[in-house]
Amino acid sequence: MTINPAHVAGAGMIRFGKFPASTTLEGMAAAASRQALNDAGADVRDIEAIYTGHVFGGPVAGQRIAVHLGLDGRPVTNVENYCASGATAIREAWIALAAGLHDVVLVIGVEKMTDRVFGGVKPDPGDLDAAVGLVMAAGHAMSARRYMADHGATREQIAAVAVKNHAHSVHNPYAQYQHAITLEDVLSARPIADPLGLLDCSPISDGAAAMVLCNANGLRKLGLAASSAPRILGCGLVSGSLQIGTDDLNAEDVSRRAAEAAWEMSGVGPEDIDFVEMHDCFTIAEIVRLEGLGLIPVGQGGQWTQDGWTGIGGRLPVNPSGGLLSRGHPVGATGVAQACELTWQLRGTAGGRQVESARIGLAYCKGGTVSGTDGGSVTTLVMSQ
């Protein structure tokens, strides 16, 4: 299956963090959007449609943002796919561009969590897993214990993911946390769900990211050369399947299927990927999902991390942005933020976190859980220069 690539004409973000109630969803989205428009050299009059990913934004959030930007009257699509909302919005925009429905569009990922979510994201009261205490952190703690038992991985190897990603975020001006941490910091942090502690978990965050996407006609309208606008080669989307028992807890079938969709669409394979933006909502998630995608041999992710192979300068740099653990995780914004990082890396403008000779990047976003399955929705985005 081949779909014409879309191009990233512009990318913009605000720094992720915890902001007061006076900082609005609409204001954050507008600020990131204006950065993306400026980056593309585009005007609001060039935008033909808007795609907005959010989870807690309320009804018609995209339309409210459009009015804020002076884009009222444009077609607006609101997308909710939990943590994969922003990435799914990119996919919808990409399909529309390929179909020729629009030539230049604006994609926004935005979330205001700190005045809506308290003490962690609350599960659906009808969720059977939640009823017996298997909430998000507990599920990943089980994953960590299973991985350690199956592959002989150590607690230190899992904790090394947080150390690496915080080291990367020191060079990211948009990251919620911009300081290094030590292995001892991770190991001695407040326990959350054994063996995971506070620094193994992504934070509650506010933030927004935006992109101006276009097809070949859009590039001509904006006066841009294709060589200056990284291409979206493919964006796979799958949903979780039935999972019974704990034997296949880390089988990551959903990641495997998401990868297969990305490879088929993009015409590239795991051996072609130069760097990854991974959905590391918890430290163990980065490891098992990399293995599920076929990017790292099963059982070796912990060792790869400990040996520095997933750091900048390693064999497969993962989360040069700092990832969810350190850049932050405003859930609706995360997928678009990942795509912005791919854009800057492929342009060679990522500064101190630049991956050398970055030509093809992959972003993975996993959104939510459904009782009895191995995930809600998963997107895999492949981009090239």
Side-chain angles (χ1 to χ4, degrees), residues 1-194:
M1 174 173 53
T2 302
I3 299 178
N4 293 328
H7 295 265
V8 181
M13 280 180 66
I14 64 169
R15 182 179 178 179
F16 290 178
K18 296 180 184 293
F19 304 133
S22 58
T23 301
T24 66
L25 181 98
E26 295 84 358
M28 292 190 301
S33 297
R34 292 188 184 105
Q35 284 193 28
L37 287 164
N38 289 338
D39 188 43
D43 186 85
V44 291
R45 291 169 294 184
D46 296 313
I47 300 301
E48 300 168 15
I50 304 159
Y51 296 81
T52 307
H54 62 94
V55 179
F56 304 107
V60 295
Q63 284 85 345
R64 301 197 315 267
I65 295 165
V67 170
H68 207 84
L69 284 166
L71 285 168
D72 46 303
R74 308 296 203 283
V76 176
T77 300
N78 289 283
V79 178
E80 189 280 300
N81 240 354
Y82 218 147
C83 307
S85 298
T88 308
I90 291 173
R91 186 176 190 269
E92 293 300 306
W94 170 62
I95 292 170
L97 292 168
L101 295 175
H102 309 294
D103 293 330
V104 183
V105 302
L106 178 65
V107 181
I108 303 166
V110 61
E111 209 69 73
K112 186 73 165 67
M113 296 181 71
T114 56
D115 54 0
R116 292 167 170 81
V117 177
F118 303 96
V121 177
K122 298 296 187 295
D124 186 329
D127 189 323
L128 296 179
D129 290 338
V132 296
L134 188 57
V135 292
M136 200 73 72
H140 286 278
M142 287 176 62
S143 170
R145 282 294 179 201
R146 180 87 242 187
Y147 189 85
M148 293 163 72
D150 286 346
H151 304 297
T154 66
R155 175 69 182 97
E156 288 76 12
Q157 289 174 339
I158 294 171
V161 172
V163 176
K164 167 184 69 72
N165 291 350
H166 275 266
H168 291 173
S169 73
V170 168
H171 306 288
N172 186 353
Y174 302 107
Q176 182 168 346
Y177 302 123
Q178 298 178 18
H179 60 268
I181 60 175
T182 66
L183 190 63
E184 181 55 34
D185 290 334
V186 184
L187 297 176
S188 62
R190 175 166 60 88
I192 299 297
D194 186 65

Side-chain angles (χ1 to χ4, degrees), residues 212-290:
V212 176
L213 303 183
C214 57
N215 56 21
N217 286 336
L219 285 176
R220 286 190 287 272
K221 288 180 179 180
L222 296 177
L224 298 175
S227 59
S228 67
R231 297 176 295 159
I232 297 175
L233 300 181
C235 190
L237 174 63
V238 302
S239 295
S241 56
L242 184 64
Q243 186 177 34
I244 300 173
T246 59
D247 288 344
D248 60 351
L249 190 62
N250 290 324
E252 283 295 317
D253 177 68
V254 67
S255 299
R256 177 190 59 78
R257 291 186 289 112
E260 289 172 352
W263 310 146
E264 182 181 2
M265 289 181 178
S266 66
V268 304
E271 68 281 357
D272 300 310
I273 302 301
D274 297 316
F275 67 102
V276 179
E277 278 292 301
M278 172 53 67
H279 192 272
D280 58 323
C281 49
F282 296 86
T283 46
I284 186 61
E286 176 173 305
I287 291 171
V288 298
R289 291 167 182 174
L290 287 168

Side-chain angles (χ1 to χ4, degrees), residues 32 63 73 109 120 151 189 242 251-253 319 326 340-341 357 364 369 371:
Q63 284 85 345
H151 304 297
L242 184 64
E252 283 295 317
D253 177 68
N319 282 325
S326 195
C340 286
E341 183 67 20
S357 302
Y364 173 108
T369 60
S371 181

